[in-house]
Amino acid sequence: MTYSCYFKLCEYIYNFYALCRIYNEFLCTLAIDRKEAEAYDMFYTSGSAVLPVRQKREDETMKKIFIDGSSGTTGLRIRERLNGRADLELIQLPESLRKDENARRDALHEADVAFLCLPDAAAVEAAALAGDSSAVIIDTSTAHRTADGWTYGFPELTGKREAVCSSKRIANPGCHASGFISLVAPLVELGLLKKEAALSCFSLTGYSGGGKGMIAQYEAPDRSPLLDAPRQYGLTQQHKHLREMQIISGLDTAPVFCPVVAAFYSGMEVTVSVFRKDLTASLDELREAYRSYYHGPVVHFEDSADEGGFYSAAAFSGRDDMQITVSGNDERILLVSRFDNLGKGASGAAIQNMNILLGLDETLGLEL
């Protein structure tokens, strides 16, 4: 080979690799992160490299999802989240058939996963319509949270993740209940909190937790000045979350529960106060127990999580994760859970449960 041919070959090789590098950089501008790429069968970036993910087999089909009751706050949020998912197909009924029993029954039987975003009585009826459908039903109402044959959809609790994977009927937890149970259930399970303990709990929530009616009330230009300050409710101690709070946590009695709604859109802070005499662990031992029990990615323990001596109930607004922390002293202890009532307290938890049962990354589509 002559020197001129050799240099010519080197030039060709150099140009080829230069083109490859330019193409690689172009793909990087289009690529998304690996978690989303794996769901959408696209490219993902790893440092400066662009790597392909598994391509969809010809015999694979998109999972079909139906939302029964997609006009309410939770239903709308679930639909918004799913509209951007290329790995799922939404079954949508025309407005004229949205309440038609036959059309809903057909959709419930066609779907792989169906979300029930309905009032309790309507959710019971919808579950009956599903009958022996092969669809996995995720009910966001209160109706089935302690019912036989239904799995409580808080996968961070011991055994619940496996149950969600194999269940055909999943009850999505209540917002206030999620915070309380996240704090109390692990301690009872680990023998650190006596199940006969008489607990009290207060929970601060944004007004979106009250649904469309309360949102309109708080956002009205001529709203009552009474809405400017936090308002306590559930005054008769008959709040609909109390039953699951007691049963799922393994307590002998329900807590004294004080929910409070305030003039901010979303976010939640649930606090359980405990006396040392009701515990078999010290303050530091409680922290270590939570740290070992919750290690993410959705529920996680954080020490010294206050904001200069304050806890803001809006700190996790717009997010789908949950923070667990402990404050107090050796005699009086505060267990605190913060999250978004619309996130881990509602639609975010529903999407997480769907991801788990479909064998996907549980955080796909979540904001953490």
Side-chain angles (χ1 to χ4, degrees), residues 72-74 175-176 205-218 231 233 239-241 260-262 264-268 341-342 346:
T73 305
T74 300
C175 54
H176 297 290
T205 182
Y207 60 79
S208 59
K212 284 185 171 181
M214 184 171 285
I215 293 173
Q217 184 184 30
Y218 269 86
R231 296 187 300 160
Y233 63 103
H239 194 282
K240 63 181 182 179
H241 290 182
V260 179
V261 62
F264 63 102
Y265 184 73
S266 71
M268 183 164 276
N341 56 289
L342 299 179

Side-chain angles (χ1 to χ4, degrees), residues 21 51 70 74 89 92 115 195-196 205 224 237 239 262 280 327 331 345 365-366:
R21 186 168 60 252
L51 307 174
S70 59
T74 300
E89 177 184 348
Q92 302 192 60
F115 294 96
K195 65 177 184 176
E196 62 271 18
T205 182
S224 167
Q237 288 301 300
H239 194 282
T280 62
S327 296
E331 191 153 331
L366 301 184

Side-chain angles (χ1 to χ4, degrees), residues 24 31 67 121 124 158 184 195 206 305 307 310 340 344 368:
N24 185 73
I67 307 170
V124 172
T158 301
V184 175
K195 65 177 184 176
E307 298 92 23
F310 293 87
D340 190 339
K344 183 59 172 170
L368 303 178

Side-chain angles (χ1 to χ4, degrees), residues 31-45 51-55 364:
I32 55 178
D33 62 62
R34 178 172 187 170
K35 182 171 61 178
E36 292 180 333
E38 288 174 342
Y40 302 146
D41 292 320
M42 298 173 64
F43 294 94
Y44 68 91
T45 58
L51 307 174
V53 297
R54 176 189 61 82
Q55 295 298 307
L364 185 61

Side-chain angles (χ1 to χ4, degrees), residues 78-97:
I78 291 175
R79 185 170 66 182
E80 289 171 2
R81 292 169 182 269
L82 297 183
N83 275 336
R85 296 276 294 266
D87 58 324
L88 304 172
E89 177 184 348
L90 276 179
I91 300 171
Q92 302 192 60
L93 299 179
E95 184 63 27
S96 59
L97 295 178

Side-chain angles (χ1 to χ4, degrees), residues 66-72 79 92-105 107 117-118 129 212:
F66 175 56
I67 307 170
D68 195 5
S70 59
S71 63
R79 185 170 66 182
Q92 302 192 60
L93 299 179
E95 184 63 27
S96 59
L97 295 178
R98 192 168 59 83
K99 296 184 179 181
D100 183 88
E101 185 173 300
N102 291 327
R104 290 170 58 222
R105 180 187 291 109
C117 303
L118 303 161
L129 281 179
K212 284 185 171 181

